[in-house]
Amino acid sequence: MRTPILAANWKMHKDVGESVAFAEAFLPLVADAEGVEVVLAPPFTALASLGQAIHGSAVRLAAQNVHPEPKGAFTGEISASMLVDLGCAYAIVGHSERRALFAESDEFVARKAAALLAHGIRPIVCVGETLEQREAGRTFDLIETQLEGSLALVPHARAEEIVIAYEPVWAIGTGRTATPELAQEVHAFIRERLAKRFGDAAARVRIQYGGSVKPDNVYSLMAQPDIDGALVGGASLEPDSFARIVRFDRTGGPE
Ligand code: PEP
């Protein structure tokens, strides 16, 4: 019912040449991968070239960010219509690095998501607690607040187009993955909150897990009923590693 979505977030890695070289190595590895959606989010500078390199394949292009305004005096920013120009199907918004390092609020994330939807780009909306928040028992309150704020401008009829990425901050880039059971518990909570907001459509919204996903843990994560994909940083930088993730590699076996 929900097509799994595996997305690579390259952050500030890979120039144009490296991005195109990745595509040339990666596409043959996933050419016969069926029943999954595969998304690559390179830096802005590589979007055009990577878009050409994956053209004609089933792999989709994503941006890592967007500005909510359509145009104007916003030096250094990129609008949703500019991303449409480059063929982006998705854009990541509210990544914890942007929330923490660039002070992005839920309200700002909501405006970005709305701008993307208005231009036919699907937002991947990230939420997740810090270690401090988890240890203080605030995980569910925090996730609820982030969801309410970040999805505030999503029209009911467009709910199915959004993707939620649950990314516990303590698991991002740390090698410390949430256990499948812990991740499932939060994913189920997210779906329940989505149902309160969007009704039946919540059953069709895809919820990705992110945080040190690797070929040897993807299988057990994807086996959980409410985990519909992964948002992958470090392990998406090598074609072979990300291709194994796309295939829910079983060599690590169920944990
Ligand atoms: C991310 O950047 O969204 C992420 C989950 O990174 P990593 O896979 O490296 O933890």
Side-chain angles (χ1 to χ4, degrees):
M1 175 170 71
R2 297 186 295 267
T3 303
I5 176 167
L6 292 307
N9 174 16
W10 289 348
K11 313 191 186 192
M12 200 167 70
H13 295 287
K14 295 194 190 296
D15 58 22
V16 169
E18 290 165 337
S19 300
V20 172
F22 179 103
E24 285 167 358
F26 178 70
L27 291 181
L29 299 177
V30 296
D32 61 350
E34 282 177 9
V36 293
E37 195 169 8
V38 183
V39 178
L40 300 178
F44 283 128
T45 50
L47 281 170
S49 307
L50 184 65
Q52 282 172 10
I54 62 177
H55 187 75
S57 78
V59 176
R60 317 298 299 275
L61 192 65
Q64 296 177 18
N65 189 21
V66 66
H67 193 277
E69 292 298 327
K71 62 172 81 163
F74 301 99
T75 302
E77 295 296 320
I78 307 283
S79 73
S81 67
M82 293 169 186
L83 298 180
V84 171
D85 260 1
L86 295 172
C88 288
Y90 289 90
I92 301 167
V93 292
H95 192 279
S96 65
E97 286 153 18
R98 295 214 60 87
R99 290 178 185 268
L101 302 174
F102 303 95
E104 293 196 359
S105 64
D106 290 329
E107 188 264 338
F108 196 44
V109 174
R111 289 174 54 215
K112 292 177 182 213
L116 290 168
L117 285 171
H119 287 84
I121 298 177
R122 296 172 175 231
I124 297 175
V125 181
C126 303
V127 296
E129 80 286 1
T130 62
L131 187 58
E132 195 184 7
Q133 289 161 337
R134 174 160 284 273
E135 286 176 349
R138 292 176 48 216
T139 297
F140 294 100
D141 283 352
L142 187 275
I143 300 285
E144 182 169 7
T145 303
Q146 286 184 330
L147 283 175
E148 268 178 26
S150 305
L151 303 181
L153 303 177
V154 175
H156 202 281
R158 308 289 300 276
E160 290 171 40
E161 294 170 53
I162 58 170
V163 175
I164 305 294
Y166 167 57
E167 299 207 302
V169 179
W170 46 269
I172 297 178
T174 59
R176 185 178 167 192
T177 318
T179 62
E181 294 74 22
L182 182 151
Q184 165 59 27
E185 185 184 26
V186 180
H187 281 233
F189 175 78
I190 291 172
R191 199 172 307 284
E192 180 200 309
R193 302 319 298 176
L194 291 174
K196 285 223 157 65
R197 170 84 162 78
F198 299 114
D200 292 348
R204 297 184 289 276
V205 174
R206 291 170 298 172
I207 308 174
Q208 296 176 305
Y209 168 78
S212 298
V213 173
K214 305 219 165 3
D216 65 3
N217 60 27
V218 65
Y219 179 78
S220 50
L221 287 161
M222 291 303 299
Q224 299 296 317
D226 287 294
I227 299 185
D228 309 313
L231 181 56
V232 188
S236 74
L237 293 170
E238 294 299 328
D240 183 60
S241 164
F242 191 50
R244 287 172 63 198
I245 289 172
V246 164
R247 295 173 176 284
F248 311 164
D249 196 301
R250 287 178 191 232
T251 52
E255 284 172 5

